[in-house]
Amino acid sequence: MKTYRWKRWITPYLLIIPAVVIMLVFVYIPVVENIYYSLFCWSSIDPTLKYIGLDNYARILNDKIIPIALRNNVLYALISVAFQVFFALILAAILESRVIRPRWGSIFRSAFFLPSVLAVTVVGITWQLIYSPNSGLINQFLRAIGLGNLAHAWLGEESTAIFAVIGVSQWQWVGYCMILFIVAIQAIPEELYEAARIDGASAMQQFFNITIPMIRETILVLTTITVIGGFKVFDIVWVMTAGGPNNASNTLGGYLYRVGFRNDEMGYASALATLLFVITFALTFIQLRIGRTGKES
Amino acid sequence: MEHSKTPFNVRMRRFYRVSLEGSINRLLVYLLFGILLVVAIYPLIWVFVNSFKTDIQLFDQSWALPKVWRYQNYQAAWNYGIARYILNSVIVTTISVVLVLGISMLAAYGLARFRFKGDTFLLFFILGGLMLAPEVSLIPLFRILSGLGLYNTYWAMILPNVAYGIPFTTFLIRSYMLGLPRDFEEAATIDGASIMGIFRHVVIPLCRPILASAALLEAMRVWNEFMFGLTFITSEKLKTIPVGLMAFSGALREQYTVIMAGIIISAVPMIVLFLATQRQFIRGLAAGGLRG
């Protein structure tokens, strides 16, 4: 009996230890180490750490690329919220209403979701070809309908590059967010809608007075995830423009990668990563606070 | 009975107004969704159709169907290295998914079925990983992997992928286990089964549906993972599809139609997997709710 008790005591720890060890070594220790490394000047060629205090952080304040990158991150976050939260929610509500026949509904759902299963490079290179100045689909289309003067070298011009990249992200993720909303809407008890219909509520009234309040939590969480995503975006920017031309489409993530692994200034890149950590952490904290006050009321 | 009091002509007028408005609305909705359908799907169809052309045809008339379907583009893309990238992706994805599922299943069982000192802390410790951006750990990971001699090996992709996959998968499986009745486990305990015996013969079989969903979501995440592969792999021989495709298109620069063939080859496995397993997929998303 004693051995059984001992076993019963030790078992949960043994079950959890592999997960804890892996996460400690590859998630938590790196995050802490990152702050430490940001206090040094070092590179991958010369990995000896030379202590320079907060110099890397002072450099952030004077770096002219930082404001451009942060502006692009903000644009990315705002446009993504407009499409992946508001627009996706409207699409989900329409698909779950009776306007669309179920047969077509499932076709639309699958088709809109499809881009989100593709690798970021598949998406990025496909759209590079679509944006391409001469053979690309968009400029060919504009010329075909007589709007040739609107044609741009979308990814090659400083004024359009970041918007071209953000647009591709919306193309890839709106359907994914729509599905998350659909799942949330399906969990709302049908009786609520029946009662509203008996009282003569219109589809609009049902949407604003039942759907939105009932999936409030999903909207909130998805909004924060989207905003955080806008600040940590790296892959699609790197694949499509690598931050160019002339850093016009750079983001914090892209710039940190360039500084670290192209310019080999690891210390400064660590400081940039710390900045990214602080921003995402603050956003998560705000979300948790809002979520909690929502539950109390 | 109520409406029989209203005169017939009023009833008819109402009926027609409502149904006319309804059908105009319906038409507009279908129009909007039709346009969105084209926007969502046409880019891939455009790439697919043009992947069978010569480059000259692509420039001349990228809307038209190819006059001759050139399968050579696919052969060229395959031989140029796409085959190797696919093999690497299969290896990295398989090992990562097996490890994530195995480790997360054990952790989820521990967290869902035992009360012990520090259980809340360990739960938050594991789920806390959901809030951390992998970008933040990139530079220290580079040092750690170099120090362990794992830089530029499959493990340089597998281990970080596993670490960042555990929180969500554990969360998914744990929630599912909490919803399972304990009757079978209790019966097995009374019959004298050991803890691990119960885990293997009772808990795992009951969890099969969520394990399938979790495996799918993980497979897709790892298959599409880009940043670790880009940062920790330098050898062409080890690159996975997402990273390899970038090198591939960089090297082929002007041969657009071969690049397009490469894109299609890379996209097909995930599209097929998704279309074949939509139901498990959506169930996973529904159970997990949201992920970062």
Side-chain angles (χ1 to χ4, degrees):
Chain A
M1 212 56 216
K2 209 172 179 187
T3 50
Y4 178 78
R5 261 210 183 142
W6 160 249
K7 258 192 183 167
R8 185 87 212 160
W9 184 86
I10 192 78
T11 307
Y13 295 104
L14 292 178
L15 289 169
I16 295 169
I17 261 184
V20 167
V21 169
I22 290 207
M23 289 197 56
L24 202 60
V25 174
F26 295 102
V27 177
Y28 286 106
I29 291 178
V31 169
V32 176
E33 273 186 334
N34 182 70
I35 298 171
Y36 175 73
Y37 288 147
S38 71
L39 304 174
F40 297 85
C41 177
W42 61 286
S43 65
S44 66
I45 296 169
D46 178 18
T48 46
L49 303 172
K50 290 174 285 290
Y51 182 77
I52 55 167
L54 294 173
D55 282 8
N56 284 323
Y57 291 95
R59 189 175 156 191
I60 290 181
L61 296 176
N62 297 318
D63 191 331
K64 292 206 171 63
I65 296 170
I66 294 290
I68 302 175
L70 286 177
R71 183 200 73 131
N72 287 340
N73 282 123
V74 171
L75 279 174
Y76 202 103
L78 290 178
I79 296 174
S80 296
V81 168
F83 278 88
Q84 292 170 40
V85 180
F86 291 103
F87 190 54
L89 173 59
I90 292 168
L91 293 182
I94 295 175
L95 275 178
E96 281 303 298
S97 74
R98 294 163 175 196
V99 183
I100 291 202
R101 287 175 219 286
R103 201 187 152 71
W104 277 98
S106 68
I107 292 175
F108 288 135
R109 273 202 297 272
S110 305
F112 296 173
F113 188 80
L114 195 65
S116 72
V117 309
L118 301 173
V120 65
T121 22
V122 167
V123 171
I125 296 171
T126 296
W127 280 89
Q128 273 181 342
L129 296 168
I130 291 172
Y131 281 133
S132 115
N134 297 317
S135 60
L137 198 52
I138 292 184
N139 284 354
Q140 282 191 6
F141 178 72
L142 288 172
R143 288 188 194 112
I145 61 170
L147 293 171
N149 54 333
L150 289 181
H152 282 273
W154 301 99
L155 295 170
E157 291 174 22
E158 289 187 21
S159 55
T160 52
I162 187 65
F163 294 102
V165 175
I166 293 173
V168 172
S169 251
Q170 309 317 314
W171 176 80
Q172 187 172 17
W173 294 110
V174 164
Y176 181 89
C177 297
M178 182 194 80
I179 292 284
L180 293 178
F181 280 128
I182 287 179
V183 167
I185 291 173
Q186 283 174 346
I188 301 173
E190 181 59 30
E191 298 91 72
L192 290 178
Y193 290 103
E194 272 162 29
R197 271 194 291 273
I198 290 168
D199 292 344
S202 68
M204 277 294 174
Q205 285 169 327
Q206 289 173 40
F207 176 70
F208 283 109
N209 295 318
I210 301 173
T211 311
I212 289 194
M214 290 301 285
I215 62 167
R216 197 179 161 280
E217 189 85 350
T218 307
I219 297 174
L220 176 69
V221 174
L222 207 52
T223 305
T224 15
I225 287 179
T226 310
V227 172
I228 292 173
F231 279 92
K232 65 182 200 192
V233 57
F234 163 71
D235 322 25
I236 190 71
V237 175
W238 192 257
V239 171
M240 294 195 71
T241 65
N246 194 19
N247 284 308
S249 66
N250 229 337
T251 57
L252 200 50
Y255 187 48
L256 126 69
Y257 186 85
R258 176 173 293 286
V259 169
F261 295 95
R262 288 292 181 272
N263 306 350
D264 202 5
E265 299 178 272
M266 291 294 192
Y268 187 42
S270 301
L272 293 172
T274 307
L275 175 64
L276 184 61
F277 172 72
V278 170
I279 292 174
T280 51
F281 193 82
L283 290 169
T284 310
F285 185 75
I286 292 170
Q287 181 219 325
L288 292 176
R289 284 304 291 266
I290 297 175
R292 197 172 305 142
T293 47
K295 261 173 208 147
E296 277 161 10
S297 64
Chain B
M1 288 297 109
E2 173 65 30
H3 68 256
S4 64
K5 284 177 199 153
T6 33
F8 178 74
N9 57 342
V10 174
R11 247 156 61 207
M12 283 315 281
R13 224 184 302 144
R14 252 184 226 161
F15 174 77
Y16 277 114
R17 195 175 53 212
V18 167
S19 74
L20 188 67
E21 254 172 41
S23 48
I24 289 175
N25 280 344
R26 179 164 289 190
L27 195 72
L28 287 175
V29 166
Y30 271 94
L31 195 68
L32 169 72
F33 276 72
I35 293 170
L36 290 173
L37 187 71
V38 173
V39 173
I41 298 296
Y42 187 66
L44 283 177
I45 296 177
W46 182 74
V47 172
F48 179 75
V49 168
N50 283 301
S51 67
F52 290 98
K53 293 180 182 171
T54 61
D55 279 317
I56 297 166
Q57 265 186 308
L58 167 69
F59 282 96
D60 274 1
Q61 33 193 197
S62 78
W63 305 87
L65 288 176
K67 288 195 196 82
V68 192
W69 294 74
R70 282 171 51 93
Y71 300 96
Q72 296 95 308
N73 290 340
Y74 280 81
Q75 224 160 17
W78 185 259
N79 292 334
Y80 203 87
I82 295 281
R84 180 79 213 189
Y85 302 147
I86 290 192
L87 177 69
N88 293 333
S89 277
V90 169
I91 293 171
V92 170
T93 305
T94 312
I95 299 177
S96 301
V97 170
V98 168
L99 286 176
V100 169
L101 246 62
I103 294 169
S104 303
M105 216 154 58
L106 293 172
Y109 183 51
L111 291 167
R113 283 296 189 255
F114 296 85
R115 312 245 64 214
F116 52 95
K117 221 178 180 161
D119 51 0
T120 326
F121 170 77
L122 287 172
L123 177 67
F124 279 111
F125 182 88
I126 291 178
L127 297 190
L130 283 171
M131 303 197 301
L132 295 169
E135 283 86 343
V136 176
S137 58
L138 202 60
I139 289 156
L141 272 178
F142 170 76
R143 265 182 95 108
I144 292 171
L145 292 166
S146 305
L148 293 172
L150 297 175
Y151 181 74
N152 199 28
T153 66
Y154 287 135
W155 293 103
M157 291 179 276
I158 293 169
L159 291 171
N161 268 329
V162 170
Y164 276 95
I166 287 172
F168 181 72
T169 312
T170 305
F171 168 70
L172 211 59
I173 302 174
R174 176 182 164 271
S175 323
Y176 191 85
M177 282 179 181
L178 289 176
L180 287 176
R182 285 161 181 258
D183 310 8
F184 296 108
E185 290 162 61
E186 274 158 15
T189 315
I190 293 163
D191 290 347
S194 68
I195 295 170
M196 288 320 280
I198 293 172
F199 179 62
R200 270 176 51 195
H201 300 296
V202 181
V203 177
I204 291 182
L206 286 174
C207 284
R208 227 169 249 159
I210 200 66
L211 293 179
S213 298
L216 272 172
L217 290 175
E218 265 316 286
M220 171 165 299
R221 189 184 64 82
V222 177
W223 184 275
N224 290 343
E225 200 284 323
F226 177 71
M227 193 174 62
F228 297 139
L230 179 74
T231 314
F232 303 140
I233 298 297
T234 50
S235 156
E236 275 307 310
K237 287 204 170 109
L238 296 176
K239 281 181 179 164
T240 51
I241 280 275
V243 183
L245 194 63
M246 205 172 155
F248 171 84
S249 91
L252 286 173
R253 237 159 226 300
E254 302 299 320
Q255 289 171 271
Y256 291 112
T257 52
V258 178
I259 294 177
M260 287 169 158
I263 289 175
I264 296 297
I265 299 176
S266 312
V268 160
M270 279 301 115
I271 293 178
V272 170
L273 185 70
F274 166 64
L275 292 179
T277 58
Q278 274 190 66
R279 205 173 280 181
Q280 286 90 326
F281 225 98
I282 306 293
R283 186 182 45 218
L285 289 178
L290 305 150
R291 74 180 308 182

